[in-house]
Amino acid sequence: MATTTDATSAPAGSTGATRRAGTAYPRYVAGKVAGAAVSLLAVLVTGFFLFRLIPGDPVKFMTGGRQVSAEQLAAYRREFGLDLPLWQQFTDYCGKALTGDLGTSYQFSAPVVDKISEALPNTLLLTGTAFVLYTALGIALGTRSAWRHGRIGDRLNTGLALTLYSLPSFWLGLLLITTLSVGIGPVPGLFPTGGMESGGEEGFAYVVDVAHHLVLPVVTLVAVEYGQTLLVTRSALLDEMGSDYLTTARAKGLRDDLVRRRHAVPNALLPTVTLVFVNLGRTVAGVILVETVFSWPGLGGLFYQALSVPDLPLVQGLFLVFAGAVIVMNTLADLLYPLFDPRVGR
């Protein structure tokens, strides 16, 4: 009798545990998505009120510095809704933003969504190229430094990474322009000082021209950003190197290179995977200074132009894109992490 009860109760318990495990990840996903939605809503609210603290009158900018009557200024304010109470401007802004309408740019007299769509591919070209390069470089050098930790190569790698990571990107960009674009002494300038193209090129010559303009801004981003990936990869791999499974792999006669590539590195990359997604969103948001220094026609340069007016709808729309990129990438990293570590999300 007792035996029968035990036999029937065990499957029931295991079924309950399986059911809980099956619903744990969907609950985890729902929680992360809900948190991201709340964060985006907070960005929407913050962006509206924050940029209204910027000094400057956008209406006077739109008049081009001409002497205009008070009636004309009032007409401009009515046209763009600036004569409405602040609370009404806020509710109108939120209502339209939730439907994808980010308003009309003051200085370009064009929908903000259109201006962002025009500049976005240029930013993705710059940040995407830099992201691939500094991620691959950071992982490769971080792995090498950890496997040979304490040697002179490791000290040089980590020292250089820390130095470059601490440099302001705009300062490094200006330094590269001075040395490699303008030239110093007998050394001629090798790269353009700014922009995305020289103009007049077509076909393959156009691709080469854009790549030529892309070199210095990409080098600036790679130099500043690769150090963090290197340090995280190195630290994670050092934590794994004393593990028993690596000792067992070596005892089986596997070469040191195989132990590193097949066993140590895949397990050590878990923190790096999270960092990769976080960096992807942060690079898009942090490209403002680099694009401004190199006059790159992307979202960063557009944001700088909008701040100088201030072009409130354009600034708010770009702020939402920058912050949204960080939030979306962080959320994506959280959702993918359980695929690498099943203990997460249970």
Side-chain angles (χ1 to χ4, degrees), residues 86-111:
L86 189 61
W87 66 268
Q88 191 171 349
Q89 294 183 44
F90 174 67
T91 55
D92 289 347
Y93 165 69
C94 289
K96 291 179 179 179
L98 292 176
T99 62
D101 182 3
L102 298 178
T104 302
S105 168
Y106 296 157
Q107 58 182 322
F108 298 107
S109 299

Side-chain angles (χ1 to χ4, degrees), residues 165-211:
Y165 185 60
S166 64
L167 293 179
S169 58
F170 72 89
W171 182 86
L172 182 59
L174 290 173
L175 182 63
L176 290 177
I177 289 175
T178 302
T179 56
L180 297 178
S181 292
V182 178
I184 295 180
V187 180
L190 301 175
F191 298 97
T193 56
M196 183 176 172
E197 56 180 289
S198 301
E201 304 291 349
E202 296 181 358
F204 182 72
Y206 173 77
V207 174
V208 173
D209 185 40
V210 172

